[in-house]
Amino acid sequence: DTNESYYFSYRQPVGYDDSLSSTYTGGVSVHRHTGGSAHTHYVTTLGDGGRFEDPANGLTLTQLGRASDGSYVSVEVSFGCTPAPAVVSVSPSSQSSQPGASLAYGVSVTNQDGPSCAASDFDLAASLPAGLSGQLAATTLQLAPGATGSTTLQVTTAGEGRFDFSVDASSAGGSASGAGTAIADATPPSVPTLTGSVKRKNQVQLGWSASSDGSGSGVSAYRLHREGGSGGAIDVVVSGTSYTDRNTTSGASYDYTVYALDAVGNESGASNVVSLTLGGKSGGPKGGGGGGSGGGNGKGKNK
């Protein structure tokens, strides 16, 4: 509503424009023009599929495509409503659980219609593979142009595996979809191998091999179990593959084992046992293989 005109240009770096910046040669440039001999005011340059919209006047310019040699460009200028497919997203994109557990996903739909359009109804449907059941909290969302609405998808896995699904939104502008994944994991990670040694007479340095979880939910932590001494059994959850036990007593004996945990709580079998006595020499695992001598004066063995 400024009483200006729009001026659309398409230029290539040839002839008079041979030094023109690539900013202006990728497609149709949009300008405003007050008329007469005044210079135009540059607004933007479109790429293929790009749109310029003037909400006040209900005008939409869309660049449909360019010739492969750059000799011409095709555009569409429309007045009034310009419907378009929505943008659909699923959050989080992936979740893991035990088989039979229920998982909740957020579904977001954004109306991409032109600003002069009326509000549109978007019909939602979940496309679920065999082994995955679910239900949308809402199957229709009414949204104004540019507005975003949301609902929830609740799914349940019937067995172990990876289940990829989508949520589709359909309107007068077409259909669009967002994707998600549900992982049902009942398989524990592989068993780690534990080594240990006495450090500085009253500290125990422990390390273990990283476990794997195949195509499951992934290893998330390790549970280190200690028995012995005067404090009774102790469990420590560790995110990495090493731990220094400083809560020890000189002259006491300790037995250590470690277990791998995945993201949904499956736990591996117990590792080998590492037995150490503080105050003597430290030893390696049976058969050799890296318990280490550790620089302390403790004694011990790996079972």
Side-chain angles (χ1 to χ4, degrees), residues 54-67:
D54 177 349
N57 295 290
L59 178 147
T60 301
L61 171 73
T62 304
Q63 179 168 311
L64 303 178
R66 293 192 300 158

Side-chain angles (χ1 to χ4, degrees), residues 49 80 88 101-102 108 131-132 152 154 181-182 187 209 278 284 293 295:
V88 184
S102 182
S108 174
L132 189 68
T152 301
Q154 200 83 21
T181 300
T187 303
S209 59
L278 277 68
S293 58

Side-chain angles (χ1 to χ4, degrees), residues 9 23 30 39 80 112 119 122 130 134 171 193 198 204 211 237 249 266 268 271-272 277 301:
S9 69
T23 300
V30 179
H39 289 169
Q112 295 287 93
F122 293 85
S171 68
T193 300
V198 176
V204 174
S211 296
V237 177
T249 303
N266 296 310
S268 73
S271 71
N272 56 298
T277 300
K301 60 181 179 178

Side-chain angles (χ1 to χ4, degrees), residues 79-161:
F79 299 87
C81 174
T82 306
V87 173
V88 184
S89 61
V90 176
S91 180
S93 60
S94 179
Q95 292 189 85
S96 302
S97 70
Q98 294 279 352
S102 182
L103 296 169
Y105 294 82
V107 179
S108 174
V109 180
T110 300
N111 185 346
Q112 295 287 93
D113 290 350
S116 59
C117 295
S120 295
D121 288 335
F122 293 85
D123 296 324
L124 307 181
S127 179
L128 306 177
L132 189 68
S133 59
Q135 186 173 6
L136 286 160
T139 56
T140 301
L141 294 174
Q142 187 177 74
L143 302 171
T148 298
S150 61
T151 186
T152 301
L153 172 66
Q154 200 83 21
V155 301
T156 303
T157 57
E160 189 171 16

Side-chain angles (χ1 to χ4, degrees), residues 75-287:
V75 299
E76 177 184 76
V77 181
S78 61
F79 299 87
C81 174
T82 306
V87 173
V88 184
S89 61
V90 176
S91 180
S93 60
S94 179
Q95 292 189 85
S96 302
S97 70
Q98 294 279 352
S102 182
L103 296 169
Y105 294 82
V107 179
S108 174
V109 180
T110 300
N111 185 346
Q112 295 287 93
D113 290 350
S116 59
C117 295
S120 295
D121 288 335
F122 293 85
D123 296 324
L124 307 181
S127 179
L128 306 177
L132 189 68
S133 59
Q135 186 173 6
L136 286 160
T139 56
T140 301
L141 294 174
Q142 187 177 74
L143 302 171
T148 298
S150 61
T151 186
T152 301
L153 172 66
Q154 200 83 21
V155 301
T156 303
T157 57
E160 189 171 16
R162 176 190 175 99
F163 303 92
D164 297 319
F165 64 88
S166 64
V167 178
D168 307 311
S170 301
S171 68
S175 297
S177 64
T181 300
I183 298 174
D185 182 10
T187 303
S190 62
V191 178
T193 300
L194 178 65
T195 60
S197 59
V198 176
K199 301 289 186 180
R200 301 179 184 176
K201 297 185 180 180
N202 61 347
Q203 293 183 10
V204 174
Q205 183 65 50
L206 299 158
W208 51 89
S209 59
S211 296
S212 62
D213 197 37
S215 59
S217 56
V219 177
S220 62
Y222 297 87
R223 179 172 67 88
L224 182 66
H225 179 75
R226 186 191 85 177
E227 293 188 0
S230 58
I234 295 176
D235 286 283
V236 179
V237 177
V238 182
S239 59
T241 56
S242 64
Y243 181 77
T244 300
D245 186 5
R246 297 180 175 87
N247 186 23
T248 57
T249 303
S250 180
S253 296
Y254 300 97
D255 293 334
Y256 296 90
T257 51
V258 67
Y259 305 77
L261 306 170
D262 67 18
V264 299
N266 296 310
E267 184 173 279
S268 73
S271 71
N272 56 298
V273 179
V274 170
S275 297
L276 295 167
T277 300
L278 277 68
K281 294 182 179 179
S282 62
K286 282 187 175 180

